[in-house]
Amino acid sequence: MRKLLLSTVIAATAATGAFAQSASDVAKARRAFYTLVNFEMSTLGGMAQGKVDYDADLASQSAGDLMTLASLHTADYFAPGSSNEDIPGETRAKSDIWDDMEGLQEKGMAFYQAVAELNEVAGNGLEALQPAMGKVGGTCKACHDDFRAKDF
Ligand code: HEC
């Protein structure tokens, strides 16, 4: 019953609602997604922290790529059966996600909105970039605190 309910919730948010991939494939895609998110964030974070020189073009480009990533439909990366209880050692996604899909979506929306705001200002100088990056970083942490386990 629980599985059925959760599948319904996910189906409502996914483009197709049909998941042909194995749980391992889902976890791999999910982790690859966040690896890309992190890659773009590292470029911007380096500038925000003064580790590399601010470059308006590069900052705009990375923020744009982050926006593209944040715009993906990620419901299929959270297909049921792919939590760290289902496939231990392959993922850090806590099973809490599937008990609180709404909570996950809220955190995802906060991330999306912060990235949208970042896009507005990333090319406008370091002083504009820094607070916007702080806000995006806060949304990463908020989701990880609730839904990502520390260890595999
Ligand atoms: C809506 C929730 C959410 C948001 C927002 C989020 N993350 Fe994550 N992140 C996760 C979850 C869940 C995992 C665990 C994925 C897994 O192990 O299957 C994860 C994993 C990761 C990983 C590890 C990937 C790997 O190789 O296992 C990195 C790095 C990461 N996130 C960075 C970020 C950064 C940087 C941001 C913000 C710019 C961010 N995340 C925003 C939920 C989120």
Side-chain angles (χ1 to χ4, degrees), residues 27 30-31 34-35 37-38 41 66 78 82 90-94 97 104 107-108 111 136-137 139-140 143-144 147-148 152:
R30 183 169 59 220
R31 293 180 56 197
Y34 286 117
T35 300
V37 166
N38 195 52
M41 276 297 277
L66 209 50
F78 289 93
S82 64
E90 296 184 50
T91 175
R92 285 188 286 158
K94 287 187 184 174
I97 290 172
L104 182 88
K107 308 273 178 187
F111 166 65
V136 174
T139 67
C140 313
C143 193
H144 294 161
F147 296 120
R148 186 179 74 172
F152 281 93

Side-chain angles (χ1 to χ4, degrees), residues 22-33 77 82 87 90-91:
S22 73
S24 294
D25 287 344
V26 170
K28 267 189 213 142
R30 183 169 59 220
R31 293 180 56 197
F33 170 74
Y77 302 158
S82 64
I87 44 169
E90 296 184 50
T91 175

Side-chain angles (χ1 to χ4, degrees), residues 59-128:
S60 298
Q61 189 185 307
S62 293
D65 288 345
L66 209 50
M67 191 76 245
T68 301
L69 290 168
S71 306
L72 295 186
H73 289 100
T74 52
D76 47 351
Y77 302 158
F78 289 93
S82 64
S83 78
N84 65 349
E85 281 174 18
D86 300 308
I87 44 169
E90 296 184 50
T91 175
R92 285 188 286 158
K94 287 187 184 174
S95 62
D96 298 7
I97 290 172
W98 289 269
D99 295 332
D100 183 16
M101 208 26 94
E102 225 170 86
L104 182 88
Q105 278 167 0
E106 255 169 49
K107 308 273 178 187
M109 272 314 289
F111 166 65
Y112 179 90
Q113 269 154 15
V115 170
E117 286 170 30
L118 173 71
N119 257 264
E120 301 277 310
V121 302
N124 298 353
L126 184 59
E127 281 180 12

